[in-house]
Amino acid sequence: MTAQPSHAKAQLPQVTHPAQEPGNPGMELDLDWVRAAQANTSAIERRAATLPGRRSVKKDFQAAWLLRAITCIDLTTLSGDDTPGRVRRLCAKARQPVRADLLDAMGMDPITVGAVCVYHDMIAPAVEALDGSGIPVAAVSTGFPAGLSPFRLRVEEITESVAAGAAEIDIVISRRHVLTGDWQALYDEMRIFREACGAAHVKAILATGELGTLRNVARASLVCMMAGADFIKTSTGKESVNATLPVSLVMLRAIRAYHARTGYRVGYKPAGGISKAKDALVYLSLMKEELGDRWLRSDLFRFGASSLLGDIERQLEHHVTGAYSVGWRHAAG
Ligand SMILES: O=C[C@H](O)COP(=O)(O)O
């Protein structure tokens, strides 16, 4: 990964929230393209296995990349015991994810996370707590996490979430459509969800841990993008297997193929189980290698994560207190 000058305030990516981008217009279902999509599992797994071991970001520039990662977090709470108070505290963290003294020590401007992600009932307190911050509220809808409630209710849930102020809707697809190869049903479902979202951005959660094969992941990714998904997202965080590097490689290559064919950029959101700063760096590096710099901004890349921010903060603190003179300052000079 190209090094980012760690001292330059202007070098951090500008946070572009998705509401500033036009939605993916989608296209007709191209069944030939879907059926032609393959995934060479052993080659993908071999390549994925090499990723964590590689030194993709120079040590001197890691802090700048970690700050960039923060701007791409969908700071999430999706628990049965969520309360307005918990959501308000999360939103306060979203507004100021890094302590001011740490930012000052690094010579960095204030940043925010990419979005706050909650269940439908927590949209109102989140919208209120984020008022004026420019941080969007993302809501999980359509019977999250299983997506097995009546179809009419899933669509109504989207409508209600948008009315409550969610600017982004994370929908869950019906896994059975993928497992039975019913691409038309998946496309139709996604198309209706897309329509119900209106101006809100829609992230399609594939629940890849329940799709059986990487080839299914590739095909489902394509179908959801054809039907107008603005983002494709790996997981709800509730499956037994959530975001993985092999699945990410497959989904990123589907995004690349869709962009090459249509010219439209679809975003990527790995979610579930990403809790370490070093993993965030691997994902950023992978985005850069597979899709390029344009996908390193929050309008095209998000981490769905409830605890990643805590570890990144700890690493930044070590950076400032531990390596202050020989690391950060040296690099800045
Ligand atoms: O979409 C976000 C995930 O549910 C968060 O998962 P996590 O709690 O494992 O970070």
Side-chain angles (χ1 to χ4, degrees):
M1 184 183 289
T2 307
Q4 173 103 356
S6 55
H7 63 291
K9 287 192 174 199
Q11 298 287 336
L12 265 185
Q14 195 167 0
V15 178
T16 311
H17 290 303
Q20 296 165 357
E21 295 277 318
N24 175 12
M27 55 184 281
E28 295 296 311
L29 176 62
D30 183 339
L31 273 177
D32 290 339
W33 186 9
V34 174
R35 289 183 183 130
Q38 298 292 335
N40 181 335
T41 303
S42 55
I44 287 165
E45 283 175 349
R46 272 199 309 276
R47 160 110 168 94
T50 67
L51 294 170
R54 284 164 46 196
R55 179 80 171 273
S56 52
V57 181
K58 283 187 183 164
K59 200 167 189 314
D60 283 346
F61 304 120
Q62 281 181 0
W65 282 100
L66 290 176
L67 289 172
R68 178 178 291 221
I70 290 173
T71 68
C72 295
I73 292 178
D74 275 5
L75 196 57
T76 299
T77 183
L78 295 171
S79 300
D81 58 355
D82 282 342
T83 61
R86 177 187 287 173
V87 168
R88 280 193 287 273
R89 285 191 294 279
L90 193 76
C91 292
K93 197 69 197 152
R95 283 173 175 269
Q96 193 186 352
V98 183
R99 286 189 349 238
D101 60 310
L102 290 182
L103 286 172
D104 279 353
M106 293 183 282
M108 291 294 180
D109 286 330
I111 55 171
T112 70
V113 301
V116 166
C117 185
V118 292
Y119 271 116
H120 173 84
D121 266 8
M122 293 296 128
I123 296 172
V127 167
E128 197 185 325
L130 293 172
D131 186 34
S133 68
I135 303 169
V137 174
V140 292
S141 299
T142 65
F144 182 96
L148 288 170
S149 50
F151 185 69
R152 179 181 56 80
L153 297 183
R154 282 181 271 157
V155 177
E156 275 176 23
E157 190 182 359
I158 294 176
T159 312
E160 290 204 16
S161 294
V162 173
E168 304 179 5
I169 303 291
D170 289 23
I171 64 94
V172 286
I173 66 165
S174 297
R175 283 66 128 180
R176 67 183 179 283
H177 295 330
V178 178
L179 295 170
T180 58
D182 194 345
W183 305 116
Q184 185 69 55
L186 179 64
Y187 178 85
D188 292 344
E189 172 183 85
M190 184 65 220
R191 199 83 218 172
I192 291 168
F193 289 163
R194 155 82 277 175
E195 216 164 285
C197 286
H201 269 229
V202 57
K203 307 189 194 99
I205 307 175
L206 304 187
T208 54
E210 295 179 344
L211 297 187
T213 64
L214 289 177
R215 188 176 66 179
N216 277 346
V217 171
R219 292 177 174 179
S221 298
L222 280 179
V223 172
C224 287
M225 290 188 283
M226 287 173 188
D230 295 303
F231 267 70
I232 50 175
K233 169 175 171 181
T234 58
S235 321
T236 65
K238 314 288 185 192
E239 290 83 57
S240 54
V241 178
N242 293 287
T244 67
L245 291 173
V247 150
S248 296
L249 271 168
V250 169
M251 293 173 75
L252 295 182
R253 287 171 183 176
I255 289 172
R256 192 165 69 201
Y258 186 78
H259 178 242
R261 178 84 66 102
T262 66
Y264 193 81
R265 293 182 178 93
V266 171
Y268 181 59
K269 179 174 172 182
I274 303 172
S275 59
K276 298 288 175 211
K278 63 177 168 37
D279 295 335
L281 293 178
V282 172
Y283 274 101
L284 282 173
S285 172
L286 186 61
M287 293 301 290
K288 184 178 172 68
E289 283 180 21
E290 293 291 326
L291 293 172
D293 287 346
R294 181 61 190 85
W295 267 269
L296 292 174
R297 296 186 213 158
S298 70
D299 61 333
L300 288 173
F301 182 55
R302 300 287 181 81
F303 293 105
S306 59
S307 54
L308 174 61
L309 180 57
D311 192 54
I312 294 182
E313 263 193 303
R314 276 189 292 280
Q315 300 310 318
L316 288 173
E317 198 171 323
H318 290 160
H319 188 86
V320 169
T321 56
Y324 189 77
S325 54
V326 291
W328 184 267
R329 280 295 184 187
H330 178 68

